[in-house]
Amino acid sequence: MALTNLRIGTRLGLGFATLLIFMACLTGTGLWHLRSVGELSDQIAVEGIQRSRAIVTWQAGIQLTNARILAAVKNADPVEQKYFQDLVATSIAKNSELQKDVERLVTDDAGKARLKTIAERRVVARATTAAIFKEKVAGNDVLARQMISDTLIPVTSAYLDELAQLAAQQDALINAMVAEVEAHGRNGRNILLALGCAALLAGVICAVLLTRS
């Protein structure tokens, strides 16, 4: 049946229905892309930034612990030595909490594998620290200092290097999410533009068909 054979009311109804369908598609597509961009933005803002901060804080904690170990071993005053040893214990406990935070926040397979290596190196570092303080208490100051330079510093350097690589991995993930957000924005803009043009074309066609006698 030709459109010219339909009543004007029917033709108007078909025209408006066509435009409403396009408007619904525009609205639905826009909302879907906004939600996707919002979810990715939340991941970047919450998960990504939290991970980076936790890793950086952990790195600083390791460096602080080493400085306190060195201060404790080099100090000849028993009272001051005990003071620094207590600070070392506090730092180690804080680093353990930071390790748990990072392990909770890192969810990718590469990051988990890196964390396993870091945990192994940390076990060695803590055992070395305990051995150094044992020699210090026994009065073997020279040996304790030698253990710092020969064992503790190389171990913690490797430990910190692994953490730096973990941080680089997580930064790469954040960059990938940022790129995905930008891609969603471009795709959404292109789709909305295409649908808008289609709606405009449909409106013109409907207007022409509806005004034919």
Side-chain angles (χ1 to χ4, degrees), residues 24 26 29 54 69 75 94 101 106 110 141-142 159 166 185 193 197 208:
L26 281 168
T29 302
I69 292 170
N75 205 305
K94 178 62 176 177
D101 289 341
V106 173
D141 289 3
V142 175
Y159 179 14
L166 176 65
L193 181 61
C197 291
V208 172

Side-chain angles (χ1 to χ4, degrees), residues 7 12 42 57 71 73-74 87 90 97 104 119 123 139 141 148 156 162 180 190 193-194 196 208-209 211:
R7 290 183 300 174
L12 285 172
D42 287 342
T57 306
V73 171
K74 287 189 173 183
L87 290 179
T90 300
E97 293 301 317
R104 173 177 55 82
V123 169
D141 289 3
I148 289 176
T156 51
E162 291 288 344
E180 191 174 350
N190 293 337
L193 181 61
V208 172
L209 294 176
T211 54

Side-chain angles (χ1 to χ4, degrees), residues 33 179-191:
H33 277 282
E180 191 174 350
V181 169
E182 292 174 349
H184 267 288
R186 287 192 300 271
N187 291 338
R189 184 172 59 250
N190 293 337
I191 291 172

Side-chain angles (χ1 to χ4, degrees), residues 52 54-64 98 160 163-165 167:
S52 296
I55 292 170
V56 169
T57 306
W58 191 6
Q59 288 173 310
I62 296 166
Q63 293 168 338
L64 178 61
L98 289 168
L160 286 167
L163 268 174
Q165 293 184 52

Side-chain angles (χ1 to χ4, degrees), residues 23-37:
M23 292 300 296
C25 291
L26 281 168
T27 303
T29 302
L31 290 174
W32 180 76
H33 277 282
L34 284 174
R35 186 182 66 179
S36 299
V37 169

